[in-house]
Amino acid sequence: MNPGKILLVEDNPDDVALTLRALKSHNITNDVIVAQDGVQALDYLFGSGDKPASEDLPAVVLLDLKLPKVSGLEVLERIRNDDRTHLLPVVILTSSDEEQDLIRGYKLGANSYVRKPVDFVEFTQAAKQLGLYWLLMNRAPPAPRRP
């Protein structure tokens, strides 16, 4: 599959394990970087203090909304407001069924909004479809040039 990395921004360890298992069970073997909160996600993408940003942007960000420290919507807003990341594919992957979250996510520039299925089999199918589409079928924008 695509050599690009997946940035999974998820604070629930059970959902992280489930997502990783679902991806692996469908032969989606891309490296998955896990950020357990919004701050870790932003640090990975943009760096912080003495820690530089990651050299390569991920192929896709799977972003939960309900995160500690910095919410998923704030992470999305920061991604869209930075020239280096504003074209980065971001899929909101959340348990939220709130219409206001859906609307705000799209207004802030989410590429997709997927509600996490509760059932394991449905969840693995959703992960498979996300992986196949965003990593294999989707043509990502070119990486920004570094100064």
Side-chain angles (χ1 to χ4, degrees), residues 7 9 41-42 45-46 57-58 61-63 72-91 108-109 111:
L7 176 59
V9 188
L42 293 172
L45 293 169
F46 302 109
L57 290 176
V61 177
L62 302 179
L63 180 64
L73 290 172
E74 290 174 276
V75 171
L76 177 59
E77 187 170 26
R78 174 80 190 275
I79 287 170
R80 291 298 178 245
N81 287 330
D82 191 288
D83 288 340
R84 296 168 291 175
T85 57
H86 77 274
L87 296 177
L88 179 64
V90 178
V91 175
L108 290 173
N111 296 91

Coordinates of all heavy atoms in Angstrom, one line a residue, residues 7 9 41-42 45-46 57-58 61-63 72-91 108-109 111:
L7 N -1.6 9.5 10.6 CA -1.6 10.1 11.9 C -2.9 9.8 12.5 O -3.9 10.4 12.0 CB -1.3 11.6 11.8 CG -1.3 12.4 13.2 CD1 -0.4 11.8 14.2 CD2 -1.1 13.8 12.9
V9 N -5.2 10.4 15.6 CA -5.3 11.3 16.8 C -6.5 10.8 17.6 O -7.6 11.0 17.2 CB -5.5 12.8 16.4 CG1 -5.4 13.7 17.6 CG2 -4.4 13.2 15.3
A41 N -0.7 15.8 18.6 CA -0.9 15.9 17.1 C -0.2 17.2 16.6 O 0.5 17.1 15.6 CB -2.4 15.9 16.8
L42 N -0.5 18.3 17.2 CA 0.1 19.6 16.8 C 1.6 19.5 16.8 O 2.3 20.0 16.0 CB -0.5 20.7 17.5 CG -2.0 21.0 17.3 CD1 -2.5 22.1 18.2 CD2 -2.2 21.4 15.8
L45 N 3.0 17.5 13.9 CA 2.9 18.3 12.6 C 3.7 19.5 12.6 O 4.3 19.8 11.5 CB 1.4 18.6 12.4 CG 0.5 17.4 12.1 CD1 -1.0 17.9 12.1 CD2 0.8 16.7 10.8
F46 N 3.8 20.3 13.7 CA 4.4 21.6 13.6 C 5.7 21.7 14.5 O 6.3 22.7 14.4 CB 3.4 22.6 14.0 CG 2.2 22.7 13.2 CD1 1.0 22.2 13.7 CD2 2.2 23.1 11.9 CE1 -0.2 22.2 12.9 CE2 1.1 23.1 11.1 CZ -0.1 22.7 11.6
L57 N 5.0 14.8 6.1 CA 3.6 14.9 6.5 C 3.0 13.5 6.3 O 3.4 12.8 5.4 CB 2.8 15.9 5.7 CG 3.2 17.4 5.9 CD1 2.4 18.3 5.0 CD2 2.9 17.7 7.4
P58 N 2.0 13.2 7.1 CA 1.3 11.9 6.9 C 0.5 11.9 5.6 O 0.2 13.0 5.1 CB 0.4 11.8 8.2 CG 0.2 13.2 8.7 CD 1.5 13.9 8.3
V61 N -4.7 12.1 8.0 CA -4.9 12.3 9.5 C -6.3 11.7 9.8 O -7.3 12.1 9.2 CB -4.8 13.7 9.9 CG1 -5.1 13.9 11.4 CG2 -3.5 14.3 9.6
L62 N -6.4 10.8 10.7 CA -7.6 10.3 11.3 C -7.8 10.9 12.6 O -7.1 10.7 13.6 CB -7.6 8.7 11.4 CG -7.3 8.0 10.1 CD1 -7.3 6.5 10.4 CD2 -8.3 8.3 9.1
L63 N -8.8 11.8 12.7 CA -8.9 12.8 13.8 C -10.2 12.6 14.6 O -11.3 12.8 14.1 CB -8.8 14.2 13.3 CG -8.9 15.4 14.2 CD1 -7.7 15.4 15.2 CD2 -9.0 16.7 13.4
G72 N -10.3 18.2 18.7 CA -10.0 17.8 17.4 C -10.4 19.0 16.4 O -9.7 19.2 15.4
L73 N -11.4 19.7 16.7 CA -11.8 20.8 15.8 C -10.7 21.9 15.8 O -10.4 22.5 14.8 CB -13.2 21.4 16.2 CG -14.3 20.4 15.9 CD1 -15.6 21.0 16.5 CD2 -14.5 20.2 14.4
E74 N -10.1 22.1 17.0 CA -9.0 23.1 17.1 C -7.8 22.6 16.3 O -7.1 23.4 15.6 CB -8.6 23.4 18.5 CG -9.7 24.1 19.3 CD -9.4 24.3 20.8 OE1 -9.6 23.3 21.5 OE2 -8.8 25.3 21.1
V75 N -7.5 21.3 16.4 CA -6.4 20.7 15.6 C -6.7 20.9 14.1 O -5.8 21.4 13.3 CB -6.2 19.2 15.9 CG1 -5.2 18.6 15.0 CG2 -5.8 19.0 17.4
L76 N -7.9 20.6 13.7 CA -8.3 20.8 12.3 C -8.1 22.2 11.8 O -7.6 22.5 10.8 CB -9.7 20.3 12.1 CG -10.3 20.5 10.7 CD1 -9.5 19.8 9.6 CD2 -11.8 20.1 10.6
E77 N -8.6 23.1 12.7 CA -8.4 24.6 12.3 C -7.0 25.0 12.2 O -6.6 25.7 11.2 CB -9.1 25.4 13.4 CG -9.2 26.9 13.1 CD -10.1 27.6 14.1 OE1 -10.2 27.2 15.2 OE2 -10.6 28.7 13.6
R78 N -6.1 24.5 13.0 CA -4.7 24.8 12.9 C -4.1 24.2 11.7 O -3.3 24.9 11.0 CB -4.0 24.3 14.2 CG -2.5 24.4 14.2 CD -2.0 25.8 14.5 NE -0.6 26.0 14.3 CZ 0.4 25.6 15.1 NH1 0.1 25.2 16.3 NH2 1.6 25.8 14.7
I79 N -4.5 23.0 11.3 CA -4.0 22.3 10.1 C -4.4 23.2 8.9 O -3.5 23.4 8.0 CB -4.5 20.9 10.0 CG1 -3.9 20.0 11.0 CG2 -4.3 20.3 8.6 CD1 -4.5 18.6 11.2
R80 N -5.6 23.6 8.9 CA -6.1 24.3 7.7 C -5.5 25.8 7.6 O -5.5 26.4 6.5 CB -7.6 24.4 7.7 CG -8.2 23.0 7.4 CD -7.8 22.5 6.0 NE -8.4 21.2 5.8 CZ -7.7 20.1 5.6 NH1 -6.3 20.2 5.7 NH2 -8.2 18.9 5.4
N81 N -5.1 26.3 8.7 CA -4.5 27.7 8.7 C -3.0 27.8 8.5 O -2.5 28.9 8.6 CB -4.9 28.4 10.0 CG -6.4 28.7 10.1 OD1 -7.0 29.0 9.1 ND2 -6.9 28.7 11.3
D82 N -2.4 26.7 8.2 CA -0.9 26.7 8.0 C -0.6 26.2 6.6 O -1.2 25.2 6.1 CB -0.3 25.7 9.0 CG 1.2 25.9 9.0 OD1 1.9 25.5 8.0 OD2 1.8 26.4 10.0
D83 N 0.2 27.0 5.9 CA 0.5 26.7 4.5 C 1.1 25.3 4.3 O 0.9 24.7 3.3 CB 1.5 27.8 3.9 CG 0.8 29.1 3.7 OD1 -0.4 29.2 3.6 OD2 1.6 30.1 3.6
R84 N 1.9 24.8 5.3 CA 2.5 23.5 5.1 C 1.5 22.4 5.2 O 1.7 21.3 4.6 CB 3.5 23.3 6.2 CG 4.7 24.3 6.2 CD 5.5 24.2 7.5 NE 4.7 24.7 8.6 CZ 5.0 24.7 9.8 NH1 6.1 24.2 10.2 NH2 4.2 25.3 10.7
T85 N 0.3 22.6 5.8 CA -0.6 21.5 6.1 C -2.0 21.7 5.6 O -2.8 20.9 5.7 CB -0.7 21.2 7.6 OG1 -1.1 22.4 8.3 CG2 0.7 20.7 8.1
H86 N -2.3 22.9 5.0 CA -3.7 23.2 4.7 C -4.3 22.3 3.6 O -5.5 22.2 3.6 CB -3.8 24.7 4.3 CG -3.4 25.1 2.9 ND1 -2.1 25.4 2.6 CD2 -4.1 25.1 1.8 CE1 -2.0 25.7 1.4 NE2 -3.2 25.5 0.8
L87 N -3.5 21.5 2.9 CA -4.0 20.6 1.9 C -4.0 19.1 2.4 O -4.4 18.2 1.7 CB -3.3 20.7 0.6 CG -3.4 22.0 -0.2 CD1 -2.5 21.9 -1.4 CD2 -4.8 22.3 -0.5
L88 N -3.5 18.9 3.6 CA -3.4 17.6 4.2 C -4.7 17.0 4.4 O -5.6 17.6 5.0 CB -2.7 17.7 5.5 CG -2.4 16.5 6.4 CD1 -1.5 15.5 5.6 CD2 -1.8 16.8 7.7
P89 N -5.0 15.7 3.8 CA -6.3 15.1 4.0 C -6.5 14.8 5.5 O -5.7 14.2 6.2 CB -6.1 13.8 3.2 CG -5.0 14.1 2.2 CD -4.1 15.0 2.9
V90 N -7.7 15.2 6.0 CA -8.1 15.0 7.3 C -9.5 14.4 7.3 O -10.4 14.9 6.8 CB -8.1 16.3 8.1 CG1 -8.6 16.1 9.6 CG2 -6.8 17.0 8.2
V91 N -9.5 13.2 8.0 CA -10.8 12.5 8.1 C -11.2 12.5 9.6 O -10.4 12.1 10.4 CB -10.7 11.0 7.7 CG1 -11.9 10.2 7.9 CG2 -10.3 10.9 6.2
L108 N -14.7 23.8 8.8 CA -13.2 24.0 9.0 C -12.3 23.3 8.0 O -11.1 23.4 8.1 CB -12.9 23.5 10.5 CG -13.4 24.4 11.6 CD1 -13.2 23.8 12.9 CD2 -12.8 25.8 11.5
G109 N -12.9 22.5 7.1 CA -12.2 22.0 6.0 C -11.9 20.5 6.1 O -11.0 20.0 5.5
N111 N -12.0 16.7 5.2 CA -12.2 16.0 3.9 C -13.3 15.0 4.0 O -14.0 14.7 3.0 CB -10.9 15.4 3.4 CG -9.9 16.4 3.1 OD1 -9.1 16.7 4.0 ND2 -9.8 16.9 1.9

